[in-house]
């Protein structure tokens, strides 16, 4: 029998075996299965290492939970619409659908070759009319519920891609990253300058009529709902909080006396500083700024100049208008300033240089006065006018409000007719219009008489016309497709020619997996209500404020419409880190990518899971990959040698008991690490266990029952991570069926204290090594390990259970069994009291004795000498040195 493992030789066989037995298909009648999901891939042509890491995580966890007895839903599909496919088709002189279908075939083969176990009966593809008809149906439902708006908007426009870009897709760097797991575009915050994320072309600003989803209606819910997402990384929740940008404060009305713009509302979180306002600043996109630009060349020139830069600094232009301070009646100059953002607050700022960093910098740049309105309560003073004082304090030079504390002043000042309480959000409605071909047609008909008319449900889907390469919007050029009749009045009408942002596709796809062939609705609500939320969702943190925000919005909107009885889609979110190569993110565009199959499927899987915690970045190195390969060979060789071996024992000894106990301890440790998604530690545990098995087999003829069980457990523990290898090991061990369908290994005995037992053995081994090195004992004759007397364990537990402020020595010495040991006990109690709260849990003396007796063979094997393990006896010279879980050691 060959003792070398070759995954390429066996992988096709096991793939067919899994498919034959439908191992990964989740039964439709499952009661609340464990839903494990990786963000589905954009159909870019082939899998990259970021995909592999994502899907290795979900596959390992899904296989683990399935072996644990769960019904598991682990589906896969394709994020197939989007501009990159259109661009790729253009470059290859083909059409987007042909290119996309070719990519899907390739990527599906890649996934299968990697051994990922998916329920392919639930496969979805977003460019299928059977899928995107439900995008259109949901659009009409949102439309009916008032969650869809249509209107003019200033948008980011890429002249090369000829489409709208979201702010999140406007890069400040000339380098645009490749798309990861979910493609598309997102928010409609206007953005000055920057380049397209896809092609690197400079971005322009345009005014276009666009379709929006009213995500701002859910700003408050989405913001506060983050508090309940305890299974989500703090970084993602913080990103969403910042993106939503909720601020509590007040709106203050300033009279400017300009036609229809008699007042400008400025939002502030520091109303207590209002008496320090010395100017009013408008964002370049503010309505009044636009109006002034129409009549003032200097303002127009400034607004145009800052629209094409990301670094306008503290620049600004003074207008010919003034604003009346509502509290003092003073006339304040009105500026247009780039540091005031369109999408923060109201787009207008009351400039308070004395109490705001940015306002102070702007005032310094434009020689504006700095007037203090708040001073420190403790009289410590400030560095005004040279630096702002930004803390709370007591009002000064604030008229009738002088002497009030900041918090109280904010309440009093809000009673003025010019101020009112307000909550603002940075979040803006989701602009979903895209002027491209390869996306879901927006199901609207434009009628001269009826206006915007949704396409009736019976006429869905509105399918894409045949693709024709053209400049501009391809659907706008499809004249025959575009011409239609109004669903309401029957008159000639025109179809909407924009397609939907592809993030619409991915905002509800996790619901379609639940009932992919359901014909009456996007999903079966009864199943969705029972099976949601997704138990574990794995994907990149870069999707925090786009995809991950949109799935939350969709879920809440669907709940309000009555289509779903859930408000949050995902219980636990895992962000996988980046795979680095030569210090940079592995990427085709950087030329440092490694093909996933270059080193073999399981070697790659083992390496990407062993290299680091799933959320951490790690460096791809050939040496570490080789270690993963060697590890597979070690596991296979252990089982192959056992399968060839005829010499085993049927009588057990102490060292067999150690192995049996360590099997149980390893099961407990590995199970805990799988539950915590610490696959790097799973592999570390399995490596240690494999070394122990090899050492055990070399120490003596193996005890048949313990060693055979150890190898079966080894195969089971590694099965979720290296499934082809585990199936081969399972077969060599003559086990029935597939290891993928076997039960997860279970300890035979209680192992609650497995960490402590292991620590006792490891620390004692380290102590013996240290003694032999320090004393320079090359060949010891005997090692004697003496376990502490029972009363010391009792004293230790009394000290652990005591409050550190208590008289610990007195509590210990109040125990009659301890007290009889006199000064020795008092000295020991005093040492325990000094350690106080630093006392770790321990195992009792009997367990420590058993553990060390079972482990004695490890000492014998390493030091090639006799080993004696015993309890401390009365008047024993070593008794004083022995402490709980820290045996006294004598080496002769």
């Amino acid at each position: 029998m060959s003792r070398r493992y070759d995954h390429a030789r066996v992988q096709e066989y096991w793939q067919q075996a899994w498919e034959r037995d439908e191992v990964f298909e989740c039964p439709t009648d499952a009661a609340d299965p464990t839903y494990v999901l990786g963000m589905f891939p954009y159909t870019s042509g082939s899998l990259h290492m970021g995909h592999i890491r994502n899907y290795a995580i979900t596959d390992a966890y899904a296989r683990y939970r399935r072996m644990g007895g769960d019904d598991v839903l682990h589906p896969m599909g394709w994020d197939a619409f989007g501009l990159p496919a259109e661009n790729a088709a253009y470059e290859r002189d083909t059409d987007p659908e042909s290119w996309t279908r070719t990519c899907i075939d390739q990527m599906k083969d890649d996934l299968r070759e990697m051994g990922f176990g998916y329920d392919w009966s639930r496969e979805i593809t977003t460019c299928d009319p059977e899928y995107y008809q439900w995008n259109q149906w949901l659009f009409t439902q949102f439309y009916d519920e008032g969650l869809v708006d249509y209107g003019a908007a200033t948008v980011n426009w890429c002249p090369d891609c000829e489409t709208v870009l979201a702010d999140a897709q406007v890069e400040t760097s000339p380098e645009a990253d490749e798309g990861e797991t979910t493609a598309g575009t997102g928010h409609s915050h206007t953005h000055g300058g920057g380049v397209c994320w896809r092609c690197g072309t400079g971005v322009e600003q345009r005014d276009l009529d666009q379709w929006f989803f009213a995500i701002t209606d859910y700003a408050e819910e989405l913001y506060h709902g983050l508090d309940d997402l305890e299974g989500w990384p703090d970084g993602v929740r913080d990103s969403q909080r910042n993106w939503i940008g909720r601020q509590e404060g007040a709106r203050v009305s300033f009279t400017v006396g300009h036609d229809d713009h008699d007042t400008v509302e400025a939002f502030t979180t520091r109303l207590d500083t209002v008496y320090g306002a010395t100017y009013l600043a408008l964002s370049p996109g503010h309505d009044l700024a636009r109006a002034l630009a129409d009549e003032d060349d200097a303002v127009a020139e400034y607004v145009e100049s800052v629209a094409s830069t990301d670094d306008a600094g503290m620049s600004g232009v003074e207008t010919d208008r003034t604003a009346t301070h509502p509290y003092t009646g003073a006339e304040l100059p009105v500026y247009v300033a780039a540091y005031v953002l369109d999408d923060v607050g109201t787009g207008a700022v009351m400039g308070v240089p004395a109490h705001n960093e940015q306002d102070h910098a702007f005032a310094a740049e434009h020689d504006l006065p700095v007037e203090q309105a708040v001073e420190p309560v403790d009289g410590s003073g400030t560095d005004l006018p040279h630096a702002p004082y930004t803390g709370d304090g007591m009002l000064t030079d604030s008229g009738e409000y002088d002497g009030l504390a900041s918090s109280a002043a904010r309440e009093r000042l809000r009673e003025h007719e010019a101020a009112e309480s307000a909550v603002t959000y940075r979040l803006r409605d989701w602009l979903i219009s895209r002027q491209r071909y390869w996306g879901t047609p927006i199901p609207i008909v434009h009628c001269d008489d009826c206006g915007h008319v949704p396409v009736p449900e019976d006429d869905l889907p509105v399918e894409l016309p045949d693709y024709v390469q053209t400049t501009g919007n391809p659907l706008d050029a499809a004249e025959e497709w575009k011409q239609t009749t109004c669903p309401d009045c029957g008159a000639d009408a025109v179809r909407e020619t924009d397609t939907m942002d592809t993030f619409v596709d991915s905002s509800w796809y996790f619901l379609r997996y639940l009932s992919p062939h359901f014909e009456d609705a996007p999903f079966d609500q009864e199943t969705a209500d029972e099976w949601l939320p997704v138990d574990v969702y794995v994907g990149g943190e870069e999707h925090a404020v786009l995809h991950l925000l949109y799935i939350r919005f969709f879920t809440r909107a669907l709940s309000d419409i009555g289509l779903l009885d859930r408000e949050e889609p995902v219980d636990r979110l895992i962000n996988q880190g980046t795979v680095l190569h030569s210090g940079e993110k592995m990427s085709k565009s950087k030329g440092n990518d490694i093909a996933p199959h270059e080193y073999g499927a399981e070697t790659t899987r083992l390496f990407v899971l062993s290299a680091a915690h799933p959320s951490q970045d790690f460096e791809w190195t050939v040496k570490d990959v080789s270690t993963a390969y060697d590890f597979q060979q070690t596991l296979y060789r252990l089982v192959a040698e056992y399968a060839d071996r005829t010499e085993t024992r049927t009588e057990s000894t102490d060292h067999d008991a150690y192995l049996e106990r360590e099997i149980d301890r390893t099961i407990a440790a590995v199970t805990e690490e799988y539950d915590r998604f610490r696959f790097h530690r799973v592999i570390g545990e399995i490596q240690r266990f494999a070394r122990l098995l090899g050492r055990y087999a070399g120490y003596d003829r193996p005890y048949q029952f313990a060693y055979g069980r150890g190898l079966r457990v080894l195969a089971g523990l590694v099965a979720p991570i290296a499934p082809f290898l585990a199936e081969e090991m399972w077969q060599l061990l003559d086990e029935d069926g597939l290891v993928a369908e076997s039960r997860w290994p279970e300890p035979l005995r209680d192992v609650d204290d497995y960490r402590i037992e292991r620590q006792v053995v490891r620390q004692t081994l380290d102590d013996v090594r240290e003694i032999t090195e320090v004393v320079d004992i090359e060949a010891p004759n005997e090692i004697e390990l003496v376990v502490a007397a029972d009363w010391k364990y009792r004293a230790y537990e009394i000290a652990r259970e005591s409050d550190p402020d208590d008289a610990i020595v007195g509590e210990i010495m109040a125990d009659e069994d301890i007290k009889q040991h006199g000064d020795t006990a008092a000295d020991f109690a005093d040492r325990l009291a000094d350690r106080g709260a630093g006392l770790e849990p321990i195992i009792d003396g009997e367990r420590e004795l058993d553990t060390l007796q079972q482990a004695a063979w490890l000492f014998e094997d390493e030091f090639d000498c006799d080993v004696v393990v015993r309890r401390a006896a009365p008047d024993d010279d070593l008794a004083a040195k022995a402490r709980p879980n820290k045996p006294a050691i004598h080496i002769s």
Side-chain angles (χ1 to χ4, degrees):
M1 178 187 300
S2 171
R3 293 180 181 176
R4 181 179 177 278
Y5 171 63
D6 180 4
H7 88 276
R9 179 180 58 83
V10 301
Q11 68 181 34
E12 187 67 28
Y13 175 84
W14 293 118
Q15 287 163 348
Q16 292 177 359
W18 297 332
E19 291 168 6
R20 177 198 66 215
D21 289 4
E22 299 179 345
V23 171
F24 308 116
E25 290 195 13
C26 181
T28 56
D29 60 352
D32 190 20
T34 298
Y35 192 174
V36 182
L37 185 62
M39 293 182 183
F40 64 170
Y42 184 76
T43 49
S44 59
S46 60
L47 296 182
H48 55 66
M49 206 58 72
H51 290 129
I52 299 303
R53 192 176 190 193
N54 183 327
Y55 303 142
I57 292 168
T58 60
D59 190 56
Y61 189 70
R63 286 175 178 271
Y64 160 66
R65 292 297 294 263
R66 191 176 291 109
M67 291 175 69
D70 290 6
D71 287 321
V72 175
L73 174 61
H74 187 218
M76 177 51 69
W78 311 101
D79 190 11
F81 270 144
L83 181 60
E86 205 167 333
N87 291 344
Y90 179 83
E91 293 168 1
R92 293 163 177 80
D93 197 25
T94 185
D95 64 276
E97 181 164 10
S98 298
W99 163 252
T100 298
R101 301 292 178 185
T102 300
C103 291
I104 289 173
D105 290 342
Q106 175 62 53
M107 295 175 78
K108 191 170 182 179
D109 287 345
D110 290 345
L111 290 172
R112 190 170 180 272
E113 186 175 339
M114 292 300 298
F116 296 135
Y118 295 112
D119 184 349
W120 288 111
S121 70
R122 297 175 180 273
E123 180 181 9
I124 60 173
T125 304
T126 62
C127 66
D128 287 343
E130 294 78 14
Y131 183 88
Y132 70 72
Q133 70 169 320
W134 298 114
N135 282 350
Q136 296 172 339
W137 185 86
L138 288 168
F139 178 97
T140 63
Q141 302 304 303
F142 284 12
Y143 187 95
D144 291 342
E145 293 293 325
L147 291 175
V148 177
D149 294 320
Y150 184 74
T154 301
V155 297
N156 302 307
W157 177 265
C158 174
D160 187 63
C161 297
E162 298 186 87
T163 191
V164 168
L165 300 175
D167 254 19
Q169 294 170 307
V170 179
E171 302 279 351
T172 56
S173 165
E175 295 180 341
D177 291 334
E178 289 186 319
E180 286 290 327
T181 53
T182 309
T185 53
H187 272 285
S188 61
H189 298 277
T190 57
H191 191 288
V195 297
C196 173
W197 73 326
R198 186 61 61 183
C199 68
T201 302
V203 171
E204 302 172 355
Q205 301 288 294
R206 288 195 180 181
D207 290 332
L208 297 173
D209 288 335
Q210 304 281 277
W211 290 97
F212 297 85
F213 281 154
I215 191 173
T216 54
D217 289 3
Y218 287 86
E220 189 80 3
E221 288 185 40
L222 291 170
Y223 184 88
H224 289 295
L226 292 167
D227 294 337
D228 298 325
L229 298 181
E230 296 178 357
W232 287 41
D234 289 341
V236 171
R237 294 196 290 174
D238 288 344
S239 293
Q240 290 201 7
R241 285 191 185 97
N242 293 336
W243 190 257
I244 295 168
R246 184 183 190 275
Q247 287 189 309
E248 293 184 3
R251 280 192 174 93
V252 183
S253 296
F254 290 81
T255 302
V256 294
H258 182 271
D259 299 335
D260 294 332
H261 306 285
D262 289 334
T263 61
V264 169
E265 289 190 335
F267 176 80
T268 179
T269 60
R270 291 293 307 274
L271 186 57
D272 55 315
T273 67
V274 67
Y275 275 80
T278 60
Y279 66 93
L280 183 70
L282 309 173
S283 71
H286 193 281
D287 288 345
L288 177 55
R290 291 172 180 269
L292 291 172
D294 289 340
E295 59 187 51
D296 187 326
D297 290 344
V299 174
E301 183 179 343
Y302 177 76
V303 169
E304 183 178 353
S305 70
V306 298
S308 59
T309 180
D310 284 318
D311 188 23
M314 287 294 129
S315 66
V317 60
E318 186 175 3
T319 72
D320 62 358
R321 304 300 177 190
T322 60
T324 303
H325 194 300
Y327 288 85
T328 69
E331 293 299 311
L332 308 181
V334 176
Y335 282 79
V336 177
Y339 87 95
V340 183
L341 303 179
D342 298 341
D343 54 6
V344 175
T346 62
V349 162
M350 62 173 200
V352 185
H355 302 295
N356 180 277
E357 296 278 0
Q358 286 190 305
D359 296 350
H360 187 273
F362 186 82
E365 184 75 19
H366 297 274
D367 197 24
L368 291 165
V370 177
E371 297 180 3
Q372 184 174 1
V374 177
E375 61 185 6
V377 175
D378 60 7
S380 57
T382 68
D383 194 23
L384 287 167
H386 306 294
Y389 172 66
T390 58
D392 279 359
M394 184 173 65
L395 268 63
T396 184
D397 293 330
S398 297
E400 64 185 277
Y401 305 97
D402 275 1
L404 288 176
S406 288
S407 57
R410 286 192 280 268
E411 295 299 320
R412 286 276 306 279
L413 286 160
R414 202 173 285 127
E415 297 171 3
H416 193 282
E417 62 180 9
E420 64 177 353
S421 297
V423 176
T424 66
Y425 301 92
R426 179 174 180 263
L427 184 68
R428 294 295 179 261
D429 281 337
W430 175 8
L431 190 160
I432 67 165
S433 290
R434 298 293 178 266
Q435 293 71 41
R436 302 307 305 161
Y437 170 82
W438 195 230
T440 300
I442 293 176
I444 288 289
V445 171
H446 298 280
C447 174
D448 289 342
D449 293 329
C450 304
H452 312 309
V453 182
V455 175
E457 182 176 343
D458 291 344
D459 294 337
L460 299 179
V462 176
E463 295 193 36
L464 288 166
D466 291 338
Y467 176 70
V468 177
Q469 285 189 4
T470 182
T471 58
N473 184 343
L475 293 188
D476 197 39
E479 289 294 337
E480 183 177 349
W481 175 86
K482 189 168 63 171
Q483 301 304 320
T484 187
T485 57
C486 174
D488 283 355
C489 70
D492 290 344
V494 178
R495 292 190 188 281
E496 171 61 60
T497 58
D498 284 354
T499 51
M500 294 186 197
D501 175 1
T502 53
F503 268 114
V504 175
D505 308 348
S506 59
S507 291
W508 67 277
Y509 80 108
F510 59 94
L511 289 161
R512 189 62 180 172
Y513 283 137
L514 307 181
S515 41
H517 309 296
F518 198 63
E519 297 182 352
D520 298 330
F523 51 88
D524 175 52
Q525 182 176 352
E526 183 177 349
T527 301
D529 289 342
E530 183 179 353
W531 287 15
L532 286 181
V534 176
D535 291 277
V536 176
Y537 196 32
V538 180
E541 189 175 11
E542 66 271 20
H543 301 296
V545 297
L546 294 177
H547 169 64
L548 291 170
L549 185 62
Y550 295 154
I551 63 172
R552 297 185 60 226
F553 161 62
F554 254 70
T555 304
R556 287 180 178 272
L558 292 171
S559 177
D560 285 350
I561 292 171
L563 297 176
L564 194 61
D565 188 22
R566 287 284 184 271
E567 291 191 335
E568 291 290 350
V570 172
D571 182 41
R572 186 174 187 180
L573 175 68
I574 304 291
N575 290 143
Q576 90 272 13
T578 301
V579 183
L580 306 174
H581 193 203
S582 302
E584 293 186 305
K585 177 182 177 181
M586 191 178 287
S587 167
K588 292 178 184 177
S589 64
K590 291 183 172 66
N592 66 347
D593 60 312
I594 302 292
H597 309 304
E598 187 171 328
Y599 290 91
E602 283 185 311
T603 299
T604 300
R605 288 177 61 141
L606 273 168
F607 175 58
V608 299
L609 291 178
S610 65
H613 188 282
S615 64
Q616 295 176 334
D617 299 344
F618 72 87
E619 180 78 21
W620 181 282
T621 67
V622 173
K623 178 182 177 183
D624 290 337
V625 176
S626 296
T627 300
Y629 174 81
D630 293 342
F631 177 48
Q632 294 173 78
Q633 302 305 323
T634 297
L635 299 186
Y636 186 79
R637 185 167 55 251
L638 279 172
V639 175
E641 289 176 351
Y642 176 74
D644 286 343
R645 182 190 294 271
T646 56
E647 294 184 9
T648 56
R649 288 181 290 109
T650 55
E651 306 83 17
S652 65
T653 65
D654 276 350
H655 78 281
D656 302 320
Y658 179 84
L659 176 63
E660 291 180 297
R661 185 70 182 165
E662 189 58 27
I663 292 171
D664 289 345
R665 289 191 284 248
T666 300
I667 292 171
V670 169
T671 300
E672 183 174 315
E673 301 300 359
Y674 268 116
D675 284 334
R676 300 179 68 178
F677 283 83
R678 300 198 299 197
F679 302 108
H680 59 306
R681 294 196 176 184
V682 166
I683 294 171
E685 286 287 348
I686 294 173
Q687 289 172 328
R688 284 189 286 272
F689 185 48
R691 287 195 295 269
L692 176 67
L693 289 170
R695 186 174 177 183
Y696 171 85
Y699 179 75
D700 189 9
R701 282 185 305 151
Y703 176 45
Q704 177 180 338
F705 303 107
Y707 192 58
R709 177 179 173 239
L711 293 174
R712 288 193 300 275
V713 166
L714 186 67
L717 297 181
V718 80
I721 291 174
F724 299 133
L725 170 64
E727 294 291 1
E728 286 293 296
M729 293 166 65
W730 200 248
Q731 186 181 58
L732 288 176
L733 291 167
D734 290 328
E735 292 300 309
D736 295 333
L738 297 167
V739 70
E741 293 186 300
S742 68
R743 301 298 296 178
W744 186 250
E746 294 184 359
L748 300 181
R749 301 165 191 82
D750 171 59
V751 285
D752 288 345
D753 295 328
Y754 77 87
R755 285 193 186 85
I756 307 174
E757 293 178 9
R758 282 180 163 183
Q759 182 60 25
V760 168
V761 175
R762 290 172 182 169
Q763 186 60 56
T764 305
L765 274 167
D766 286 345
D767 290 345
V768 171
R769 293 182 188 117
E770 183 178 0
I771 292 170
T772 57
E773 290 175 8
V774 171
V775 185
D776 195 21
I777 302 175
E778 293 185 3
N781 294 321
E782 182 182 81
I783 298 172
E784 189 176 12
L785 306 178
V786 180
V787 175
D790 280 338
W791 66 267
K792 289 189 175 181
Y793 294 86
R794 173 64 182 151
Y796 190 99
E797 289 302 334
I798 291 173
R800 275 198 76 237
E801 294 169 4
S802 297
D803 189 297
D805 295 329
D806 292 345
I808 295 176
V809 174
E811 289 189 25
I812 293 173
M813 297 306 292
D815 186 293
E816 291 297 328
D817 290 336
I818 299 173
K819 185 178 180 180
Q820 65 181 344
H821 294 279
D823 292 343
T824 301
D827 290 342
F828 185 64
D830 196 45
R831 289 198 297 271
L832 291 174
D834 288 342
R835 292 174 63 185
L839 296 173
E840 299 290 338
I842 60 171
I843 52 176
D844 62 36
E846 197 63 36
R847 176 74 65 81
E848 181 181 349
L849 181 66
D850 289 344
T851 299
L852 288 172
Q853 285 176 338
Q854 292 170 2
W857 71 278
L858 295 173
F859 295 81
E860 293 172 359
D861 185 50
E862 180 171 343
F863 298 101
D864 192 24
C865 67
D866 294 333
V867 176
V868 175
V869 181
R870 64 178 179 81
R871 290 298 288 271
D875 301 324
D876 192 332
D877 291 340
L878 292 175
K881 298 180 180 179
R883 305 194 302 273
N885 291 192
K886 187 78 170 174
I889 300 170
H890 179 257
I891 302 176
S892 60

